[in-house]
């Protein structure tokens, strides 16, 4: 009988090509039309006049066909700063949201649209002038591929969870030594994570204002590792790890918004990230089976969280301690997604079912996404679609973000 061992897997993997890096290291070009219609709203003539009068501002480059000038995403920083220092500051620089909330994507069934909704909201937020941190919590790495950036040290957000376990173990070992007991050994992953902080894991993306904590392949070991650490450290709460790491690194002040993706299912990694959330955001695909799939996913999440809490209480009781209060979030919002021709009917149905939890307007169905042509709408050059097709899609993506931003601002006050 043939035997297929891990060594044979390595051999087979070596025959496959390596993943290629993103084609456009600077990001896609942005035209004066796009800037003045959607990013820094003003008459195009006004922008041209200002550029002529201010030679130190980025001037863009003419396209092959002449006519309009094209800018790089990084040029937006200087342009925004210039207009935000003028009399119409409020129009060009959004009000800060205060301490950045941690918004975690949920709806644990597959293909609900978590990753694409996150990427669209994050890019829209950054293009409107917010400082955004995206944490890719899915070892599958969809978000890391859609928002490419340099590979950082460590194992992404898993390093932060490992560090929390390592610090916990260190405290327990100090107590053991005081009692004259032998310390418990620290595994390699925990030792490696100990000196890392969130800042070491964050890299800029191609979009100005949008930073990413990418998900390296090693995160695939996350569920197994977290489960192992929990066995050895029964009083450790992985659900506090991300929140504590964010606060320790001062990320709530450095950013306006922190968005975290989660993998499909409710393994230890997903649950740890979800437990740290301030706000849960669940995409609802506007399909006939959308509400049923959303409901099934949320029920599974509730059951998993209840069980985790019961386990924490049992562990605490065994040690004669009192468990911390149960899980609570500030809000759960449902973000409708994939609005196509039937959107009005589907939205009416979703509103009747979900009421205030639903955050309209929906993100649009983007055919180029469904067809795998682009990873996200904001990567598309409007010349490929034509202005008439592009404009309503752009407006819909931007409007979905504005609506989430309003809710976040209301949460603060
Ligand atoms: N607004 C949209 N328009 C078109 N296709 C979409 C849209 N949102 C998601 N999709 C497609 O649906 C599939 C699942 O989306 P994804 O964001 O990967 O879901 P999840 O992260 O929940 O697994 C992907 O193939 C994606 O391209
Ligand atoms: Mg995903």
């Amino acid at each position: 009988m043939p035997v297929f061992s891990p060594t044979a897997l390595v051999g087979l993997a070596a025959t496959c090509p390596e993943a290629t890096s993103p084609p456009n290291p600077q990001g896609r070009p942005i035209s004066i039309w796009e800037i003045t219609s959607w990013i820094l709203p003003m008459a195009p003539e006004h922008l041209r006049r200002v550029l002529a009068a201010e030679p130190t501002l980025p001037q863009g480059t003419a396209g092959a066909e002449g006519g309009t000038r094209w800018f790089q995403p990084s040029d937006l920083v200087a342009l925004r700063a210039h207009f935000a220092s003028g009399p119409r500051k409020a129009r060009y620089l959004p009000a800060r949201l205060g301490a950045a909330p941690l918004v975690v994507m949920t709806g644990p069934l597959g293909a609900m649209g978590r990753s694409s909704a996150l990427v669209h909201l994050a890019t829209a937020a950054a293009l409107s002038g917010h400082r955004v941190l995206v944490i890719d919590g899915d070892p599958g790495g969809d978000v890391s591929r859609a928002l490419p950036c340099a590979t950082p040290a460590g194992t992404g957000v898993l390093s932060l969870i490992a560090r929390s376990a390592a610090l916990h173990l260190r405290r327990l070992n100090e107590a053991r030594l005081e009692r004259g007991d032998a310390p418990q050994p620290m595994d390699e992953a925990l030792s490696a994570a100990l000196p890392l902080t969130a800042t070491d894991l964050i890299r800029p993306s191609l979009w100005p204002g949008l930073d990413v904590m990418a998900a390296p392949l090693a995160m695939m070991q996350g569920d197994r590792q977290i489960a192992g650490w929990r066995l050895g450290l029964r009083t450790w709460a992985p659900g506090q790890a991300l929140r504590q790491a964010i606060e320790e690194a001062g990320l709530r002040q450095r950013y306006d918004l922190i968005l975290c993706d989660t993998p499909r299912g409710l393994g230890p990694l997903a649950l740890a990230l979800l437990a740290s959330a301030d706000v849960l955001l669940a995409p609802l695909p506007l399909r006939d089976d959308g509400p049923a799939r959303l409901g099934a996913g949320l029920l599974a999440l509730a059951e998993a969280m209840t069980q985790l809490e019961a386990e924490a209480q049992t562990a605490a009781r065994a040690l004669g301690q009192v468990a911390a209060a149960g899980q609570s979030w500030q809000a759960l919002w449902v973000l409708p997604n994939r609005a196509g021709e039937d959107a009005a009917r589907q939205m009416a149905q979703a509103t009747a079912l979900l009421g205030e939890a639903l955050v309209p307007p929906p993100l649009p169905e983007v055919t180029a996404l469904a067809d795998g042509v682009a990873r996200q709408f904001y990567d598309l050059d409007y010349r490929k679609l034509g202005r008439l097709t592009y404009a309503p899609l752009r407006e819909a993506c931007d409007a979905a973000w504005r609506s989430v931003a309003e809710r976040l601002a209301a949460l603060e006050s």
Side-chain angles (χ1 to χ4, degrees), residues 115-116 119 123 136 141-148 207 375-376 379:
S115 303
S116 20
V119 167
T123 313
D136 190 353
D142 285 345
V143 164
S144 307
R145 272 189 298 278
L147 300 171
W207 296 102
R375 295 225 161 94
Q376 68 146 325
D379 283 341

Side-chain angles (χ1 to χ4, degrees), residues 330-356:
Q330 287 177 43
L332 181 143
W333 298 329
V334 176
L335 184 75
N337 184 17
R338 312 199 66 165
E341 279 170 15
D342 199 21
R345 185 184 68 81
Q346 308 258 16
M347 279 299 286
Q349 189 196 16
T351 309
L353 290 170
L354 298 161
E356 280 290 294

Side-chain angles (χ1 to χ4, degrees), residues 106-113 282-298 334-338 342 345-346 349-350 353-354 358:
T106 190
L109 272 60
M112 290 296 281
L284 170 69
L286 293 177
R287 302 280 149 100
D288 282 335
D289 64 350
R293 286 167 54 76
L294 173 75
L298 296 184
V334 176
L335 184 75
N337 184 17
R338 312 199 66 165
D342 199 21
R345 185 184 68 81
Q346 308 258 16
Q349 189 196 16
L353 290 170
L354 298 161
L358 192 74

Side-chain angles (χ1 to χ4, degrees), residues 49 56 64 78 159 183 203 217 219 240 285 287 314:
R49 266 199 307 273
T56 56
S159 284
R203 295 291 178 269
L217 271 178
M219 248 171 70
Q240 299 301 312
R287 302 280 149 100
T314 311

Side-chain angles (χ1 to χ4, degrees), residues 114-115 138 142 261-262:
R114 293 180 305 276
S115 303
D138 182 353
D142 285 345
D261 200 18
T262 53

